[in-house]
Amino acid sequence: MLAALYLSGVACWVFPALGQEREAGWAALVWAAAVVAAIRAGDDLERMPLVGRLLSSLRRLDGRRMACVAALFVLAWGALGARRFDAFAQRAYDLSIFDQAIWSTANGSFLFSSLKGGIVLLGDHASPILASLSPLYRVLPDARLLYFLQAAAFALAALAVHRLARAQLGPGALAALFPLAFLLQGPLQGLLVNEFHPEVFAVPLLLAALVALVERRALPLFAFAALALTCKETTALAVAGLGLFALSRRWWSAGIALVAAGVATFAFDVLYVIPHYLGHGTPYVGRYAHLGGSMSEVLLSPALRPLEFLKSLFVPTLKLEGLARLLVPFGLTGLAGPGALLGALPNYLANALSSAATMWNVKAQYHCEEMAFVAAASVLGAAKLLRRWPARRRLLAGLVAVCALAQIGRPWGSLWASTPLTERHRVWTEQLSRIPADLAVSADTQTATHLAHRFQLFHFPDRLAEADCVAVDGQVVDHAWHASVEQTRAAIDSLPALGFVTRFSQDGLLVACRR
């Protein structure tokens, strides 16, 4: 595994055309070097100043102190998300889609989103868990709340990892390292700073279900699995993955029931729920068109198109690099726990087989379910290694510590400092707050994040004929993900002819409303 990782890093550093950026290749080289250095250092690893101090501190990190760490994590990353929101550093796709849907539900229109074409959001993804957030919006209708909830989901997931680690590895530094490695990993930080997605709630639910599965507690297992099914249609695949893991542990009844429930729910969501609310077939089937022209052909592609199926699994190598980036923070111990990794297989297949490159990006929301299984597999793999080599606890702890430190994402302080709040942001926020909530608005992708609490919000330059006002930041070059820069600038120039009168114009900021 180390050799393959190292060679892939060298290859994509020398030949970036293989499908990875040089930054990814450099990361692979760093990972491989860190692991090799840890193995060569052996038991002397703990004498390294930084690692030694870290392990000494972690020995005192019990459940209560870990809960405090989790709370600090929520405050820090929630505050960073709120700051990025205030600095207009977020995009309407996907933050405002979910923000508007939750607000609409709280105001009597179930999961309605005009940004998605005026549909009930279940017609895009089967995520009814969003509706459960609407009571919070009756008390605090603020998009910044979503960042704290997102961070809280990952903090709860880390606590579940800690419980599993203490049960499998015993108290001490090693057990504390796994939840910290989980919170420090780059892919998770990528999710925290990029908008908001309901899939994140599946991570703590799946990890809680995995803990219950390992402890053979049927009631919490099925309760958490049922809740996870409400996060997204792809989480149903993860529930089927829970069943595969249960079968690998010879818990036949639970395994069969979970596989059946996952497959049935996925089929129900894809074949009925989404088409029912959208008015036609599932919109994302086209991502698998290279495997077949229908859902049945895609499912049978391993037999009908075996070569194309196998190629889609591993090419480009960015797909495998994403899986490696989930394994490395835990010192690759997940490779020793293949039973839990088997649970990640359905979601890995759904992502890897897709033709959409965004689904291969490990920092995107599509890998949330895999993240839960990899964390559990890493803990169980470490426990398996300790049973075989009990005298190597310090080496294993040092290995995980080095790998976790080697792949930390961009430091929190750096992200905070790179998101300054300026007078321009304050002025723009004040002007946007003056637009009445009952008016239909067309806004650019960053401005729209501050206008989502209304029933009619469009992505500029969409549906200008239906808009009462236009709010555009002229310094946002890519106003719409589906329109060119020339089209958006032409739309701005056409506003007077469409009957819009400028209400505010300053430093590239424009608010125009109909006469």
Side-chain angles (χ1 to χ4, degrees):
M1 176 64 182
L2 285 175
L5 185 60
Y6 188 83
L7 290 175
S8 72
V10 172
C12 63
W13 177 258
V14 178
F15 305 108
L18 288 177
Q20 302 184 43
E21 297 180 358
R22 284 187 169 172
E23 180 182 355
W26 178 248
L29 290 172
V30 171
W31 295 339
V35 175
V36 170
I39 292 174
R40 291 179 63 86
D43 289 336
D44 291 334
L45 188 64
E46 195 172 353
R47 298 175 186 174
M48 296 172 61
L50 180 59
V51 176
R53 286 197 296 268
L54 175 62
L55 296 180
S56 177
S57 301
L58 290 178
R59 292 190 183 97
R60 300 189 296 272
L61 202 59
D62 56 12
R64 182 176 299 178
R65 291 187 175 93
M66 184 59 71
C68 293
V69 171
L72 290 174
F73 178 88
V74 174
L75 292 175
W77 286 97
L80 177 61
R83 181 180 177 88
R84 287 174 58 81
F85 176 86
D86 291 339
F88 293 85
Q90 301 288 4
R91 298 177 301 174
Y93 278 73
D94 293 325
L95 171 63
S96 297
I97 292 173
F98 299 120
D99 181 29
Q100 185 188 38
I102 299 168
W103 178 87
S104 296
T105 303
N107 287 273
S109 185
F110 181 70
L111 293 181
F112 174 80
S113 175
S114 62
L115 282 169
K116 266 292 183 179
I119 65 170
V120 174
L121 211 53
L122 295 181
D124 185 49
H125 290 295
S127 301
I129 195 171
L130 289 170
S132 68
L133 303 180
S134 60
L136 295 176
Y137 264 45
R138 287 187 173 275
V139 179
L140 185 62
D142 194 322
R144 288 167 287 198
L145 174 64
L146 298 178
Y147 293 106
F148 287 92
L149 294 176
Q150 188 164 247
F154 286 123
L156 290 173
L159 294 178
V161 173
H162 190 229
R163 171 170 175 158
L164 181 63
R166 285 174 64 88
Q168 295 293 316
L169 306 171
L174 184 58
L177 272 169
F178 282 92
L180 293 180
F182 177 84
L183 292 176
L184 290 173
Q185 59 181 311
L188 184 145
Q189 294 186 10
L191 283 167
L192 285 167
V193 299
N194 291 316
E195 290 89 48
F196 164 84
H197 300 91
E199 297 96 311
V200 299
F201 297 121
V203 182
L205 293 171
L206 289 172
L207 275 165
L210 284 162
V211 172
L213 195 159
V214 171
E215 297 174 354
R216 286 206 170 231
R217 296 184 296 128
L219 183 59
L221 168 61
F222 286 101
F224 287 122
L227 289 173
L229 290 172
T230 66
C231 295
K232 193 179 178 182
E233 68 276 6
T234 53
T235 309
L237 298 176
V239 170
L242 283 173
L244 296 178
F245 181 39
L247 292 174
S248 73
R249 297 179 72 89
R250 300 179 184 275
W251 193 358
W252 308 114
S253 57
I256 293 172
L258 288 168
V259 169
V263 172
T265 304
F266 179 75
F268 180 70
D269 287 342
V270 172
L271 299 178
Y272 176 73
V273 174
I274 295 175
H276 172 75
Y277 286 101
L278 187 61
H280 54 81
T282 305
Y284 301 105
V285 175
R287 294 180 176 181
Y288 305 93
H290 59 289
L291 297 175
S294 64
M295 180 66 72
S296 59
E297 289 182 8
V298 171
L299 295 175
L300 293 174
S301 60
L304 299 177
R305 301 183 181 184
L307 293 180
E308 186 67 28
F309 177 83
L310 292 174
K311 179 183 177 182
S312 298
L313 285 179
F314 307 113
V315 178
T317 54
L318 183 62
K319 299 174 182 179
L320 289 177
E321 188 248 339
L323 182 59
R325 293 193 69 174
L326 294 177
L327 286 164
V328 167
F330 307 101
L332 298 175
T333 56
L335 297 177
L341 281 183
L342 182 65
L345 182 61
N347 289 96
Y348 175 79
L349 291 175
N351 292 327
L353 294 175
S354 171
S355 61
T358 53
M359 295 184 69
W360 312 335
N361 182 5
V362 75
K363 291 187 177 182
Q365 69 273 18
Y366 303 103
H367 295 267
C368 283
E369 297 92 346
E370 295 172 52
M371 191 178 290
F373 285 103
V374 169
S378 299
V379 173
L380 297 174
K384 183 178 179 180
L385 292 173
L386 281 183
R387 287 194 296 270
R388 185 168 182 179
W389 294 292
R392 295 296 185 180
R393 174 177 286 269
R394 287 193 303 170
L395 169 61
L396 189 58
L399 176 65
V400 176
V402 168
C403 289
L405 291 172
Q407 63 77 61
I408 291 178
R410 190 176 177 186
W412 180 90
S414 173
L415 287 167
W416 183 277
S418 65
T419 313
L421 292 177
T422 65
E423 178 65 15
R424 186 175 187 271
H425 295 142
R426 188 196 64 78
V427 169
W428 194 219
T429 301
E430 181 181 350
Q431 292 299 323
L432 296 178
S433 67
R434 296 178 179 177
I435 301 177
D438 59 342
L439 296 184
V441 179
S442 182
D444 65 79
T445 187
Q446 294 178 358
T447 300
T449 58
H450 288 245
L451 293 167
H453 293 179
R454 64 188 66 239
F455 287 114
Q456 296 300 320
L457 175 64
F458 312 123
H459 204 307
F460 186 84
D462 286 353
R463 300 166 70 175
L464 286 176
E466 302 173 47
D468 300 309
C469 291
V470 169
V472 178
D473 181 353
Q475 294 185 10
V476 178
V477 177
D478 186 14
H479 290 286
W481 64 275
H482 58 284
S484 67
V485 174
E486 291 74 16
Q487 288 175 315
T488 55
R489 287 175 177 168
I492 294 175
D493 294 338
S494 69
L495 291 178
L498 294 174
F500 288 93
V501 177
T502 300
R503 303 298 186 190
F504 173 81
S505 179
Q506 178 180 313
D507 194 19
L509 305 174
L510 172 68
V511 175
C513 297
R514 294 191 183 277
R515 297 183 178 88

